[in-house]
């Protein structure tokens, strides 16, 4: 199932993408999904980020190829950083480059959308907390990241977390291929 968040007729709604139309759902998709019977043609709505997270918890240097690209060793424990909710934008929104940066990079990622509060979840129960997956771009002002020695400023600018267009609930994350394109050209 492909869950989307969209704006139509002055309201923000959630729905299920079905071909070239969206079937609206009642409320939010984080519990039981109940269709309302309303349909919206895809061309008549604005797709938004597929969710509105309170924060984004991210892992740094989690891909061997990216670690090699930036000449860094893979960490022995997860390198965790946060992105603020103000960084979130939808799939067709513009990334605004900060004037203070001379190098802004893309980083294609698989975003995991959590559907309920989680704390100290055992590994064998982790997938019970996952609603689905979405495309995510971990935009980074690389020069700020390097000069600061920590990642908050370099990764936390407004518009630095484009995601979407949907939350896909039927993905085998163990076998997902992540590719990043810039203007139609494969980059990662």
């Amino acid at each position: 199932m492909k869950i989307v968040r969209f704006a139509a007729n002055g309201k923000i709604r959630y729905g299920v993408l079905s071909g070239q139309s969206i079937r609206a759902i009642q409320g939010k998709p984080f519990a039981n999904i109940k269709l309302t019977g309303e349909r919206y043609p895809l061309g008549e709505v604005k797709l938004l980020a597929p969710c509105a997270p309170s924060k984004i918890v991210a892992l740094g240097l989690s891909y061997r190829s990216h670690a090699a690209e930036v000449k860094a060793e893979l960490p022995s424990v997860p390198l965790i950083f946060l992105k603020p909710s103000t960084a979130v934008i939808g799939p067709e929104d513009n990334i605004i480059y900060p004037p203070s940066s001379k190098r802004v990079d893309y980083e294609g990622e698989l975003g995991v959308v959590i559907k309920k509060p989680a704390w100290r979840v055992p590994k064998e129960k982790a997938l019970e907390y996952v609603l689905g997956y979405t495309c995510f771009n971990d935009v980074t002002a690389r020069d700020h990241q390097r000069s600061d020695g920590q990642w908050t400023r370099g990764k936390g600018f407004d518009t630095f977390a484009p995601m979407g267009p949907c939350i896909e609930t039927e993905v085998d994350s163990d076998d997902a291929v992540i590719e990043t394109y810039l203007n139609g050209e494969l980059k990662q």
Side-chain angles (χ1 to χ4, degrees):
M1 175 178 3
K2 293 180 181 350
I3 300 168
V4 295
R5 192 167 147 260
F6 64 99
N9 304 324
K11 290 184 176 181
I12 295 176
R13 308 278 305 269
Y14 284 94
V16 175
L17 183 61
S18 179
Q20 291 298 304
S21 69
I22 297 170
R23 298 168 28 209
I25 63 173
Q26 285 184 355
K28 296 180 180 179
F30 302 103
N32 295 325
I33 292 179
K34 185 174 180 187
L35 298 172
T36 65
E38 299 169 272
R39 283 188 179 267
Y40 296 85
L42 189 56
E44 294 179 18
V45 304
K46 176 175 175 38
L47 288 179
L48 306 172
C51 57
S54 61
K55 65 185 162 295
I56 298 162
V57 180
L59 297 176
L61 298 172
S62 55
Y63 294 107
R64 289 185 194 285
S65 59
H66 179 59
E69 177 185 356
V70 297
K71 297 176 178 61
E73 289 186 31
L74 289 175
S76 59
V77 295
L79 195 161
I80 296 173
F81 64 93
L82 300 176
K83 280 188 176 252
S85 59
T86 56
V88 174
I89 59 174
E92 297 296 324
D93 293 336
N94 292 321
I95 298 166
I96 300 170
Y97 285 42
S100 61
S101 178
K102 302 296 183 245
R103 182 174 172 195
V104 175
D105 288 349
Y106 43 79
E107 291 183 35
E109 306 281 355
L110 180 65
V112 181
V113 180
I114 305 301
K115 65 182 174 182
K116 58 186 176 181
W119 188 64
R120 293 188 177 189
V121 176
K123 182 178 178 178
E124 60 275 3
K125 293 186 178 251
L127 290 178
E128 295 175 19
Y129 292 79
V130 173
L131 175 63
Y133 303 88
T134 191
C135 297
F136 185 82
N137 185 350
D138 176 18
V139 179
T140 304
R142 195 70 66 202
D143 46 358
H144 290 313
Q145 180 187 20
R146 285 192 180 119
S147 69
D148 291 353
Q150 53 81 29
W151 298 5
T152 303
R153 181 169 62 135
K155 290 180 172 282
F157 286 100
D158 289 355
T159 74
F160 272 29
M163 64 174 70
C166 67
I167 300 167
E168 176 57 69
T169 62
E170 299 171 20
V171 169
D172 178 359
S173 61
D174 289 335
D175 196 32
V177 174
I178 310 300
E179 296 179 334
T180 305
Y181 290 83
L182 178 62
N183 299 324
E185 182 183 342
L186 179 63
K187 294 292 189 174
Q188 294 177 315

